[in-house]
Amino acid sequence: MNVEDPFVGRLAELTRLRACALSARAGRPGLVLIEGEAGIGKTELLRHWLRDPSLSAFTVLRARCDTSEQDFVFGMVQQLISSAPGSLVGELSLLTGRIPASTPPYEVGSRLLEFLGTLQSEQPVVLLIDDVQWADAASLQACSFVLRRLEADAVLTVLTARSTGDGHEPHSADALRRLVGAVPGSVRMALRGLDVEHVSELITRVTGQMVTTDLAEDLRDRTAGNPLCMSTLLAELPDGTLTETSLKALPVPSSLTAAIRSQLAHLPGPSQALVEAVAVLGVPSPLAKVGWLAEVEDPSSAVEAALRSGLVRWRPDQPAAPVEIAHAMQRQAVIETIAPDRLRHLHAAAVHLVDRHTAWAHRVAAAGPLDLQLAAELVDAADEAFAAGEADRSATLLLWAADLEVTRAGRERHLLRAVERLLAIEQFTRVAALMPRVRASAPCAARSLALGAQALHRGTLPAAEAHFLAALEESEKEGETHTEIAARTALSAVLNFLGRYDEGIEAARRALERDPSVTYAWINLCTGLALAQGPQMALRELSQVTPTVLRVTPETGPHDVALLSLRGILRIASGSLKRGAEDCRTALELGRAHSVSTLSDFTQTHLATAQYLLGDWEDVPISCERGLAITANGEGRAAAYAWEYAALCWLAAGRGEWAAALEHLHALENRSVIDRVDTAHTSALCAVSRAIYAQARGDHQAMLTAVEPLAQSKTGWARQLQVYWLPLHAEALIGLGRMREAEAEISYLRVTAEDFPCLRASASWLAGRLASHRGNLALARTTFEQGLASLYQADAPLLHTALLEHEYGLVLRHSGHTAAADKWLDEARQRLRRVQARPFLERCAQDLSQPAQPATTTREAVVVRELSAREREIAHLVGRGLTNKEIGKELFVSSKTVEYHLSHVYEKLALTNRRELRDHVQRGILTQGS
């Protein structure tokens, strides 16, 4: 009887997998998710597919996930990497050895993209991940990042996921749904039970005999067509022959597990012991090691019956000749069959055969119901893991310790500490599963802190405040300083969200008095100060802890990166655009060098807004795309979406791309509904974005309608966003002829500009424009000239600089200085042309005495406009001198994707090499046709 390979049917699935592989080989990446219940044939389908000769041209990277490894951060990724050629892995230091648990998943994903680009230079790649529903969260995030960023890559990703009648494992269902839904053209294969024809074929394959259709149908009815279940039942045939009588004599299993137990019971004693030992070890293990654990003298003989049963798979072609349980369902059934005393004995013996981390699981399984000594050791190991940045693993060890405690107080103490550590790394999905136990715990500071964090995550701010206040009160009674600091820090964030900035500032200060190194306390303190008193006040506070210059050093850590990011964000908000942008760029570089991500989402998007104001418009979509990649991967904060969509809206409006601008604006407005935690922040950005869109359209009434609420408030987020909306408000008032109100607003703008460098050019432009509209050309001319004289000493927004030059040219023309007027109008035109600010450029062109001659032919202008957004980004970065690998890192894509798009750029622009493209870009080809 042959039960080792009961693979039948699935021809349609095989054909589809082959088609997906061919498509990937041609540079069209794909994702296939194969779903089905235990034993339905997912693994056998893949094993059969991998034998296809066409796959010999692929590099196959494989990982198999397991419930026992869900808390090993990046465990799945490291399995994939370990199956690749070692010489290639060595080029990427982050992926060699154990990946630090503190590394942001998007950073690991970025390195994986780089690695895949290298692999593809040799041959196409298959990423094969079994039982993805048990993948560790960090690996799943990293792979999700990769799959969304594959564009022209010869990569096929195949996942298998176990499902039940209700779907996937509950903790993984949402993550899998997001993963598959985010990849265009993904394929989902749901494997069902075999039909009668294929059941007949399976019977023949296993027993060697032909059977009637009625007999095959009877077996199918018994097993719902599950191949593993049928193979297990057929192995129970007394004489190896299937007849109507023998089929009726077979036990009717209440489940597949019951059938496997029956199968195990019929094995000879040594074979049964060997199978039990393999199941306890849980991983492919050398036969000699398994024999020692099973206490079997001749494991080679004992394994034969196990192999015939189909319960065990042996790989004698490998050096250690490992054996393993053929299927996870079989392993679980075997484990449940072993007598408790023997199971503990096997686990205790297995401790000496496995690595240190795996040994903990065996020690816990071998322990009695209460083991205080082991619980204490687990707590020590948990603290060690947490100190090493392995919060997931630490939480697991603490939860095991809780199960071994005698007292309720001890169990709850370990539970709450585990929850606290999971919250520290924002593992809200895992925390949610523990919340019933948290709520059932006795009132204490740690319990209130956990409940508050969960409420804050859900956006229920009043409940979060109440829980954090309770945590403060309880921590003072208990003398729990650490909990008190955490509660005050979290409370300060809630109070800032609620607009009670003074209270939020006080809570943050109290936390910092206890521990000046708490990063988020500094962030919350400075955020509250910026909203209540302005960003300059926050910068003065922050100057106490941020050095003048930060360099990449071994000592630099998350604290330094976060504070430098914060300083950059605050500098941009205070109008020091260039210094703020430099801080943001340095913080991002530090974060990449040291594998930390604190505030990376906000850092990217604030950098984008500074680039928009400064006129680095080609860089804006790159920064926004990086920010969106982080946020959409679940590693950023929901509020970051608002900044990302806002900056993209501003850019599209400035270029007259009306449909794109409205798309981004609507996405931003939707965030004000979705983002329940910080609606005031999102609403303020919506107002600014509507006004910028209206400005590009020349609609002064819409501009005023959008920003009037901010102008009336000038507190909170209105204060924080002054550099963006103050000039818009004054411009709208002038455009509507409300001169007295405009004069008051410009006076306020000029006073504000003394502390906000980027507003100085704006103030000169608008003051001169007001004088011009009032007919005072002499005052207008003087005001414009003063503004132009100091223009290059400040962080002047490009758009406002061009508008100042434009208005100055008009005043000169009205004063009779036609030649000088055309000179300044042409200056404005050239400045606007460099960023393709078409709506403003068209207005400027209308005021020129003679239309400017186009710098390029019509064909060149049309061709440049035909470049896709990705092609334009790549051409821009080539112009900056970046290599393909550097461009891939910058755009979060593989070098293969860069090569693909670069070839199209060459073709469209009729260029033959990189040097030609770089020279053309540096001469301004990307602004042709504006």
Side-chain angles (χ1 to χ4, degrees):
M1 183 175 294
N2 172 29
V3 295
E4 291 185 14
D5 186 15
F7 180 81
V8 297
R10 313 303 186 198
L11 179 60
E13 290 83 358
L14 278 173
T15 301
R16 198 165 189 188
L17 281 170
R18 288 167 184 155
C20 290
L22 287 173
S23 182
R25 189 173 184 175
R28 295 184 294 275
L31 168 65
V32 178
L33 173 63
I34 303 173
E35 306 167 279
E37 64 180 7
I40 202 67
K42 302 182 294 297
T43 303
E44 286 299 329
L45 171 62
L46 291 183
R47 187 176 292 116
H48 231 72
W49 174 59
L50 289 173
R51 294 171 185 165
D52 194 303
S54 66
L55 283 180
S56 62
F58 282 75
T59 296
V60 179
L61 306 185
R62 188 162 191 173
R64 185 174 65 178
C65 306
D66 188 87
T67 52
S68 64
E69 297 181 354
Q70 284 182 288
D71 57 4
F72 282 97
V73 181
F74 298 118
M76 184 186 83
V77 170
Q78 292 187 297
Q79 281 193 62
L80 290 173
I81 296 302
S82 67
S83 64
S87 59
L88 296 176
V89 178
E91 298 178 10
L92 299 172
S93 57
L94 178 64
L95 300 182
T96 58
R98 189 168 180 82
I99 301 172
S102 61
T103 309
Y106 79 83
E107 184 60 42
V108 174
S110 176
R111 303 294 178 92
L112 270 175
L113 281 168
E114 186 179 347
F115 180 52
L116 289 173
T118 302
L119 285 178
Q120 290 175 76
S121 63
E122 301 294 330
Q123 55 189 28
V125 180
V126 169
L127 300 177
L128 189 56
I129 303 170
D130 280 314
D131 286 325
V132 70
Q133 77 279 353
W134 290 328
D136 65 280
S139 288
L140 201 57
Q141 280 187 295
C143 286
S144 177
F145 182 89
V146 169
L147 294 177
R148 286 199 299 268
R149 311 299 295 175
L150 295 174
E151 293 184 25
D153 300 89
V155 177
L156 175 61
T157 304
V158 181
L159 314 174
T160 72
R162 179 184 295 191
S163 60
T164 64
D166 299 324
H168 297 291
E169 300 289 327
H171 65 274
S172 65
D174 289 342
L176 272 176
R177 185 167 52 251
R178 289 193 301 270
L179 173 62
V180 176
V183 179
S186 57
V187 174
R188 300 184 72 155
M189 296 184 189
L191 298 190
R192 311 295 183 193
L194 298 177
D195 59 26
V196 173
E197 178 185 353
H198 290 124
V199 169
S200 296
E201 185 180 347
L202 183 142
I203 294 170
T204 302
R205 293 282 301 278
V206 173
T207 67
Q209 68 177 100
M210 303 290 290
V211 295
T212 65
T213 299
D214 290 343
L215 201 57
E217 192 167 349
D218 284 347
L219 183 59
R220 185 186 185 283
D221 290 343
R222 281 172 171 259
T223 61
N226 184 295
L228 180 59
C229 190
M230 286 188 285
S231 299
T232 303
L233 277 180
L234 291 171
E236 294 294 291
L237 292 172
D239 57 0
T241 302
L242 183 65
T243 63
E244 185 175 347
T245 301
S246 63
L247 179 61
K248 289 181 179 178
L250 289 175
V252 180
S254 57
S255 66
L256 177 57
T257 300
I260 294 169
R261 289 176 182 173
S262 174
Q263 187 179 18
L264 181 67
H266 284 82
L267 287 177
S271 300
Q272 184 174 342
L274 199 75
V275 172
E276 291 172 347
V278 175
V280 167
L281 285 170
V283 294
S285 305
L287 182 58
K289 181 188 290 188
V290 175
W292 180 88
L293 180 62
E295 299 177 344
V296 171
E297 292 184 3
D298 186 3
S300 296
S301 297
V303 80
E304 291 180 4
L307 291 170
R308 288 194 300 272
S309 72
L311 289 172
V312 169
R313 185 180 295 118
W314 187 23
R315 299 178 180 176
D317 56 315
Q318 296 186 12
V323 292
E324 62 180 333
I325 296 293
H327 194 280
M329 193 71 178
Q330 292 171 319
R331 176 175 180 262
Q332 184 60 36
V334 172
I335 291 289
E336 292 176 2
T337 303
I338 304 173
D341 287 344
R342 173 161 171 76
L343 184 59
R344 284 196 294 272
H345 170 75
L346 287 171
H347 277 297
V351 169
H352 307 289
L353 302 178
V354 297
D355 61 71
R356 176 173 172 268
H357 291 291
T358 308
W360 285 115
H362 287 295
R363 289 189 64 187
V364 171
L370 302 174
D371 190 330
L372 296 182
Q373 177 61 36
L374 180 55
E377 291 180 43
L378 285 164
V379 171
D380 289 341
D383 292 342
E384 181 183 332
F386 189 67
E390 299 176 352
D392 265 321
R393 181 64 176 164
S394 175
T396 295
L397 294 171
L398 285 168
L399 292 171
W400 286 347
D403 292 338
L404 298 174
E405 278 285 354
V406 177
T407 65
R408 173 184 173 183
R411 291 192 296 273
E412 292 177 355
R413 181 172 64 253
H414 299 326
L415 165 69
L416 293 171
R417 187 176 296 178
V419 169
E420 178 187 353
R421 291 178 178 178
L422 290 171
L423 288 170
I425 57 171
E426 299 184 351
Q427 283 282 4
F428 293 110
T429 301
R430 193 172 175 193
V431 168
L434 297 171
M435 288 311 292
R437 292 171 62 183
V438 171
R439 294 189 189 95
S441 300
C444 65
R447 175 182 180 274
S448 295
L449 186 66
L451 294 173
Q454 187 75 353
L456 177 58
H457 173 63
R458 292 178 174 176
T460 52
L461 298 181
E465 181 185 8
H467 287 307
F468 290 139
L469 287 172
L472 276 178
E473 182 179 347
E474 291 156 348
S475 64
E476 290 172 356
K477 292 178 184 176
E478 299 165 11
E480 287 283 351
T481 304
H482 174 75
T483 309
E484 177 195 346
I485 293 169
R488 289 194 189 281
T489 301
L491 181 62
S492 65
V494 172
L495 293 169
N496 283 340
F497 288 144
L498 291 171
R500 290 152 55 188
Y501 308 125
D502 291 341
E503 295 176 64
I505 292 168
E506 177 61 21
R509 286 196 190 282
R510 295 283 299 277
L512 289 168
E513 286 173 5
R514 291 284 198 169
D515 185 353
S517 69
V518 180
T519 301
Y520 276 100
W522 279 108
I523 292 172
N524 295 340
L525 170 62
C526 291
T527 300
L529 285 170
L531 293 170
Q533 303 172 38
Q536 290 86 355
M537 182 62 72
L539 283 168
R540 282 194 285 274
E541 187 79 33
L542 191 60
S543 65
Q544 301 176 39
V545 290
T546 50
T548 304
V549 178
L550 277 174
R551 293 186 175 89
V552 178
T553 68
E555 292 76 26
T556 303
H559 180 73
D560 305 296
V561 174
L563 295 183
L564 185 58
S565 292
L566 180 59
R567 188 175 73 180
I569 291 168
L570 290 171
R571 279 180 166 174
I572 292 170
S574 64
S576 295
L577 303 179
K578 292 179 180 177
R579 295 175 71 193
E582 184 59 31
D583 275 350
C584 288
R585 279 190 287 266
T586 304
L588 292 168
E589 179 185 340
L590 281 166
R592 182 174 178 83
H594 293 283
S595 298
V596 295
S597 65
T598 309
L599 296 182
S600 55
D601 47 353
F602 282 111
T603 307
Q604 290 283 3
T605 53
H606 280 77
L607 176 59
T609 62
Q611 290 165 338
Y612 166 79
L613 291 175
L614 289 168
D616 300 323
W617 284 15
E618 293 294 339
D619 291 314
V620 171
I622 295 173
S623 296
C624 285
E625 189 170 348
R626 287 174 65 89
L628 279 167
I630 296 168
T631 310
N633 204 48
E635 298 177 65
R637 293 148 190 83
Y641 277 118
W643 286 97
E644 291 151 1
Y645 292 132
L648 289 170
C649 173
W650 304 350
L651 178 66
R655 285 181 163 166
E657 298 166 355
W658 309 121
L662 286 175
E663 180 182 348
H664 297 311
L665 180 57
H666 292 156
L668 170 58
E669 290 171 337
N670 287 338
R671 293 312 309 179
S672 65
V673 176
I674 298 169
D675 183 9
R676 298 173 296 170
V677 173
D678 198 5
T679 306
H681 155 265
T682 309
S683 297
L685 276 174
C686 283
V688 173
S689 300
R690 291 189 200 102
I692 288 176
Y693 178 82
Q695 179 194 36
R697 283 290 201 181
D699 188 342
H700 294 110
Q701 183 58 61
M703 289 172 66
L704 185 63
T705 301
V707 297
E708 191 65 32
L710 302 178
Q712 291 175 356
S713 171
K714 292 185 179 176
T715 59
W717 282 105
R719 181 192 294 273
Q720 180 75 352
L721 300 176
Q722 284 183 106
V723 296
Y724 306 107
W725 67 262
L726 269 178
L728 294 167
H729 187 233
E731 181 185 357
L733 290 170
I734 295 171
L736 293 171
R738 295 163 63 167
M739 300 305 176
R740 190 167 293 179
E741 295 170 79
E743 182 177 9
E745 190 69 349
I746 291 170
S747 295
Y748 177 80
L749 176 59
R750 281 186 143 170
V751 171
T752 305
E754 294 176 7
D755 296 321
F756 289 71
C758 78
L759 291 178
R760 293 168 192 166
S762 309
S764 296
W765 157 52
L766 290 164
R769 186 175 193 186
L770 177 64
S772 176
H773 276 249
R774 283 178 163 174
N776 191 341
L777 298 184
L779 177 59
R781 181 173 176 179
T782 300
T783 304
F784 286 138
E785 288 171 351
Q786 289 173 347
L788 290 169
S790 61
L791 192 60
Y792 303 105
Q793 301 173 12
D795 294 80
L798 177 139
L799 194 56
H800 294 177
T801 299
L803 293 173
L804 189 158
E805 292 167 337
H806 185 178
E807 296 278 353
Y808 181 46
L810 293 179
V811 166
L812 289 174
R813 176 175 295 164
H814 288 311
S815 301
H817 303 285
T818 305
D822 282 348
K823 171 185 175 297
W824 284 105
L825 286 167
D826 191 59
E827 282 284 335
R829 187 186 71 83
Q830 293 292 347
R831 196 178 300 278
L832 294 167
R833 181 176 173 274
R834 282 196 293 272
V835 296
Q836 292 189 301
R838 291 190 182 91
F840 304 94
L841 189 59
E842 289 168 2
R843 295 168 205 163
C844 184
Q846 291 172 2
D847 290 326
L848 284 166
S849 298
Q850 295 181 346
Q853 295 299 315
T856 62
T857 65
T858 302
R859 179 191 173 279
E860 288 175 312
V862 170
V863 168
V864 169
R865 290 193 181 190
E866 287 178 351
L867 292 179
S868 69
R870 179 66 82 206
E871 290 165 355
R872 189 184 186 93
E873 290 169 353
I874 290 172
H876 170 65
L877 294 174
V878 168
R880 280 172 37 187
L882 274 64
T883 66
N884 283 3
K885 184 173 286 188
E886 290 168 337
I887 292 171
K889 290 180 182 178
E890 190 75 12
L891 298 179
F892 287 153
V893 296
S894 72
S895 54
K896 183 75 171 180
T897 289
V898 176
E899 291 172 9
Y900 171 81
H901 290 296
L902 201 51
S903 67
H904 286 276
V905 173
Y906 291 152
E907 182 180 355
K908 289 181 180 180
L909 298 181
L911 302 175
T912 58
N913 58 57
R914 192 182 204 87
R915 178 177 294 180
E916 287 183 1
L917 176 59
R918 184 192 62 202
D919 292 344
H920 274 65
V921 171
Q922 291 176 352
R923 287 199 300 267
I925 193 172
L926 295 181
T927 61
Q928 302 297 339
S930 299

